[in-house]
Amino acid sequence: MLKEELKAWPSFVTVWRLAGLLLLGWLLALWYFGEGIFWYFSLAAAALLPLMLAVYYARTEGAKSRQLKKVTEQLAGSRIFLKNIINYVPDPIFVKDRQHRWIEGNTAMWALFGKREEDLIGKSDYDFFPKEEADVFWRKDDEVFTSGQTNINIENFTDASGVTHIISTKKACFTGSAGEQILVGVIRDITELRRMEEKLKESDEARFNAIMNHVGRPVYIKDLEGRYTLVNKKFLELFARDGRSIIGKTDAELFAKEYAEKYRLNDLEVIEKAAALEFEETVAGKDGQHTYVSVKFPLYDANDKIYAICGISSDITERKKYEEKLKNAMEKLAKANSEMESFTYIASHDLRAPLVNLQGFAHELDSAIKLITPAALQGASAFPPEQKAAIDGVLNDDIPEALGFIRSSVHRMDMLTNAILELSRIGRRELNFEKINTEKLLKECLDVLQHKIRSQKITVNIGPLPEITADYVAVQQVFGNIIDNAIKYMRPDEAGEINISGRQENTEVVFEIADNGRGIDERDIGKIFEIFRRIGDNTGIEGEGMGMAYVKAILTRHNGHIWCQSTPGKGTTFFFTIAHNLSGNDA
């Protein structure tokens, strides 16, 4: 209301100017009209004019005085109100001018400093703090004044009693009513928090060290410059030779140059890729050179930045020795296989020539004996009866029998060399892995054996058969050999039965072929997969004892194996496996 009232009144200067103009007009009128009633009226008006001006002045100045008083009272009330608010804030608050002097603060501020308000207002940091602390405060204040950006800093300061505090100060720059720069800061004393963090860190480090020292492998932490900041007991046992200190050292100070350079390159790769990586590293230990597999991974700080790398190393020296031995053994095995292939070639080709000769000469001897026998017997008539009977026995019995033995042995030898050749072909033949409908394949095998199955009145039961990936011809040979053996060794006094099924397991397919034939003695089960081994009574049963050796070789190339369970007089069950997901690289 007062402000609006003052706006309605013209200023005193304007009124005084207007009064001056009126007075000049009255004087001109007096000079013109001279003495008379107007003269006396003008004297009265002239006497009243100063009085009216005085009253107007008093009225306007009084209004201004009342307004100023009210505004002053409002400002004082606002200041007290604001002061009360900031004094209730538990964190210290301060205000500085551009000259870094305190111009305002709250109760918590003075309490933190250990000073009275009147002792600090108008003073700067250099009046109370050590120079090294004041330099930091001044520099940080200048950064905010210059940039205008809010700034948060962790700082140390010493209070009046000499106690050093750790504070987090948030500072911001504002513009005052007169356009001046002022700095407002809020302080949080984090001394106790930092102490708790240190204790927690010490506790965590103690637990971490306890865990690390119980790990039977070297564990270590390096900073980004490659300096060791933490190592476990095992690391010290292996590498702290001659009492050398590890902490603060780099690999270049601890290990030979060729080793240290490799370790550093590995560390830098982990930092660059920000990922856990595995390396094979060699180091000279107390008892000679060792090989380690080291898993190294980055460590991150609270701002998600890499500040160090951690490594865990496993000694694989013995494993490397075994791998070297295995490599040598594989080379020897490859050489032996090569020699075996050469032998197989000789056995299946070079030995065939003498067999052909034996068979040819046996045939010639047989023809010659038949040619000379009549003449020899005729000439033998002149001999005594005993000699004649002996010559007759040699020509008609002994020599034909001997020639028969030669021919059968040659035939047997030929069958064995053919078997060896076939076995070698199984190992050399390139397999063609493809998806196979096992039911269709088995039907084709049974069609080939159908005459034997029907003639012996054997029942064949087929259960579920999963699809497989394998060489079609090879799997046909496996099924064909096992089923053919089951047919051969059926008991004549009981109706034969063969049950075939398959199932999928974790990494392979398992097939079962069970029969109710003669069975196999437990002592002979391990022999049935050996070459040229035939067990039990084989009278009247064809074969050279190679069928199951073929099967075993084929399944080995399919990453599978074969075994059997049998009870004499009740039957035998053969189990064999073929691996899942075979490819040309597995052959």
Side-chain angles (χ1 to χ4, degrees), residues 293-532:
V293 168
S294 298
V295 178
K296 299 183 177 183
F297 52 90
L299 301 178
Y300 296 86
D301 61 18
N303 296 319
D304 204 29
K305 292 184 178 180
I306 298 175
Y307 74 92
I309 65 168
C310 181
I312 304 173
S313 299
S314 301
D315 192 337
I316 61 168
T317 306
E318 291 302 317
R319 191 182 83 185
K320 294 292 285 186
K321 291 179 181 178
Y322 288 132
E323 287 177 354
E324 188 65 27
K325 290 180 180 179
L326 180 61
K327 180 182 177 183
N328 293 335
M330 292 298 291
E331 290 175 353
K332 291 180 181 179
L333 180 61
K335 183 179 180 182
N337 284 337
S338 177
E339 293 174 352
M340 179 60 72
E341 287 182 6
S342 298
F343 170 76
T344 302
Y345 179 83
I346 293 171
S348 60
H349 292 83
D350 295 356
L351 292 182
R352 192 176 293 276
L355 292 178
V356 171
N357 288 336
L358 285 173
Q359 192 170 19
F361 285 125
H363 180 73
E364 289 185 12
L365 283 174
D366 187 48
S367 298
I369 291 299
K370 289 179 180 178
L371 181 64
I372 67 174
T373 294
L377 289 176
Q378 185 178 359
S381 61
F383 291 99
E386 295 82 4
Q387 289 182 336
K388 181 181 178 182
I391 294 171
D392 183 68
V394 169
L395 294 174
N396 290 309
D397 297 324
D398 295 346
I399 293 177
E401 183 181 21
L403 291 174
F405 284 141
I406 292 173
R407 283 194 293 269
S408 64
S409 296
V410 168
H411 178 69
R412 176 67 177 166
M413 191 65 181
D414 186 53
M415 289 178 61
L416 293 178
T417 54
N418 284 334
I420 292 173
L421 180 60
E422 183 64 27
L423 185 61
S424 69
R425 286 172 179 165
I426 290 174
R428 293 198 309 271
R429 185 173 73 84
E430 183 177 350
L431 301 182
N432 178 30
F433 291 115
E434 59 181 306
K435 289 285 186 182
I436 295 175
N437 184 325
T438 315
E439 293 182 2
K440 177 183 176 184
L441 180 146
L442 181 59
K443 185 178 182 300
E444 292 177 1
C445 290
L446 294 176
D447 287 343
V448 173
L449 299 169
Q450 197 59 234
H451 176 71
K452 293 182 180 181
I453 292 171
R454 287 180 179 174
S455 63
Q456 294 186 228
K457 299 179 180 179
I458 297 172
T459 302
V460 179
N461 301 312
I462 301 175
L465 293 172
E467 286 190 348
I468 57 173
T469 299
D471 182 272
Y472 198 92
V473 174
V475 176
Q476 271 189 328
Q477 289 179 303
V478 171
F479 276 104
N481 272 285
I482 298 175
I483 296 171
D484 188 48
N485 274 354
I487 294 171
K488 287 178 181 178
Y489 291 94
M490 282 293 177
R491 288 179 293 164
D493 59 338
E494 187 171 339
E497 184 177 340
I498 300 174
N499 297 300
I500 305 170
S501 64
R503 64 183 182 277
Q504 288 188 353
E505 293 194 350
N506 295 332
T507 59
E508 58 191 7
V509 177
V510 181
F511 292 99
E512 295 182 22
I513 300 178
D515 64 61
N516 62 340
R518 301 180 188 180
I520 305 170
D521 191 282
E522 186 176 357
R523 294 171 299 178
D524 295 328
I525 287 179
K527 302 175 184 178
I528 60 177
F529 301 107
E530 298 175 6
I531 61 174
F532 306 135

Side-chain angles (χ1 to χ4, degrees), residues 85-128:
I85 290 176
I86 66 173
N87 281 337
Y88 276 104
V89 176
D91 292 328
I93 299 174
F94 64 87
V95 182
K96 290 182 179 179
D97 61 16
R98 191 61 183 84
Q99 287 71 43
H100 300 257
R101 296 174 300 202
W102 288 294
I103 59 176
E104 188 60 86
N106 66 347
T107 304
M109 173 73 178
W110 318 132
L112 178 64
F113 278 40
K115 295 285 186 178
R116 296 178 302 170
E117 181 177 0
E118 53 268 28
D119 294 332
L120 291 173
I121 295 300
K123 304 293 180 63
S124 72
D125 297 310
Y126 286 102
D127 295 318
F128 294 97

Side-chain angles (χ1 to χ4, degrees), residues 35-89:
E35 295 184 3
I37 186 66
F38 187 75
W39 170 260
Y40 295 106
F41 180 75
S42 296
L43 288 177
L48 288 174
L49 183 59
L51 180 60
M52 292 172 62
L53 289 174
V55 171
Y56 184 81
Y57 177 78
R59 180 73 181 271
T60 56
E61 290 304 313
K64 288 181 179 180
S65 177
R66 289 194 302 275
Q67 182 191 29
L68 181 60
K69 181 179 179 181
K70 186 171 182 179
V71 170
T72 302
E73 290 175 351
Q74 288 176 342
L75 288 174
S78 298
R79 182 179 176 82
I80 293 171
F81 179 72
L82 179 61
K83 189 74 172 178
N84 288 335
I85 290 176
I86 66 173
N87 281 337
Y88 276 104
V89 176

Side-chain angles (χ1 to χ4, degrees), residues 179-190:
E180 76 279 14
Q181 283 185 302
I182 59 172
L183 183 144
V184 177
V186 181
I187 297 174
R188 177 157 293 178
D189 190 343
I190 60 172

Side-chain angles (χ1 to χ4, degrees), residues 49-330:
L49 183 59
L51 180 60
M52 292 172 62
L53 289 174
V55 171
Y56 184 81
Y57 177 78
R59 180 73 181 271
T60 56
E61 290 304 313
K64 288 181 179 180
S65 177
R66 289 194 302 275
Q67 182 191 29
L68 181 60
K69 181 179 179 181
K70 186 171 182 179
V71 170
T72 302
E73 290 175 351
Q74 288 176 342
L75 288 174
S78 298
R79 182 179 176 82
I80 293 171
F81 179 72
L82 179 61
K83 189 74 172 178
N84 288 335
I85 290 176
I86 66 173
N87 281 337
Y88 276 104
V89 176
D91 292 328
I93 299 174
F94 64 87
V95 182
K96 290 182 179 179
D97 61 16
R98 191 61 183 84
Q99 287 71 43
H100 300 257
R101 296 174 300 202
W102 288 294
I103 59 176
E104 188 60 86
N106 66 347
T107 304
M109 173 73 178
W110 318 132
L112 178 64
F113 278 40
K115 295 285 186 178
R116 296 178 302 170
E117 181 177 0
E118 53 268 28
D119 294 332
L120 291 173
I121 295 300
K123 304 293 180 63
S124 72
D125 297 310
Y126 286 102
D127 295 318
F128 294 97
F129 302 118
K131 183 177 182 302
E132 59 272 14
E133 292 182 5
D135 286 342
V136 174
F137 298 153
W138 195 282
R139 186 177 69 253
K140 295 297 183 181
D141 290 351
D142 269 340
E143 289 178 5
V144 178
F145 277 127
T146 303
S147 68
Q149 301 291 323
T150 299
N151 195 315
I152 300 177
N153 302 296
I154 304 298
E155 302 163 332
N156 293 334
F157 93 94
T158 305
D159 63 19
S161 60
V163 176
T164 299
H165 297 254
I166 303 172
I167 58 173
S168 172
T169 307
K170 183 175 183 179
K171 300 174 183 178
C173 185
F174 298 93
T175 302
S177 59
E180 76 279 14
Q181 283 185 302
I182 59 172
L183 183 144
V184 177
V186 181
I187 297 174
R188 177 157 293 178
D189 190 343
I190 60 172
T191 307
E192 288 302 318
L193 180 61
R194 280 302 177 92
R195 287 174 182 170
M196 291 176 63
E197 288 178 351
E198 288 298 323
K199 289 181 180 179
L200 184 60
K201 182 179 178 182
E202 291 174 2
S203 176
D204 288 343
E205 286 186 358
R207 285 195 293 268
F208 182 62
N209 285 330
I211 294 172
M212 286 178 60
N213 288 331
H214 281 83
V215 175
R217 302 173 183 175
V219 183
Y220 47 89
I221 295 177
K222 303 179 192 177
D223 63 20
L224 299 184
E225 284 70 44
R227 295 186 294 265
Y228 286 92
T229 60
L230 187 65
V231 296
N232 71 341
K233 185 177 179 180
K234 187 66 176 181
F235 190 98
L236 294 174
E237 289 176 0
L238 294 172
F239 308 120
R241 297 182 293 275
D242 304 324
R244 290 185 297 175
S245 174
I246 299 292
I247 303 303
K249 299 289 182 64
T250 64
D251 290 317
E253 299 173 272
L254 299 172
F255 303 102
K257 182 180 179 181
E258 63 271 21
Y259 299 147
E261 290 177 349
K262 177 65 174 175
Y263 305 157
R264 184 57 181 162
L265 289 175
N266 293 342
D267 295 347
L268 292 175
E269 186 176 352
V270 172
I271 295 169
E272 179 184 355
K273 295 183 178 179
L277 301 175
E278 184 177 290
F279 305 96
E280 188 171 298
E281 298 177 330
T282 305
V283 62
K286 294 179 181 179
D287 56 348
Q289 183 170 289
H290 285 247
T291 303
Y292 290 85
V293 168
S294 298
V295 178
K296 299 183 177 183
F297 52 90
L299 301 178
Y300 296 86
D301 61 18
N303 296 319
D304 204 29
K305 292 184 178 180
I306 298 175
Y307 74 92
I309 65 168
C310 181
I312 304 173
S313 299
S314 301
D315 192 337
I316 61 168
T317 306
E318 291 302 317
R319 191 182 83 185
K320 294 292 285 186
K321 291 179 181 178
Y322 288 132
E323 287 177 354
E324 188 65 27
K325 290 180 180 179
L326 180 61
K327 180 182 177 183
N328 293 335
M330 292 298 291

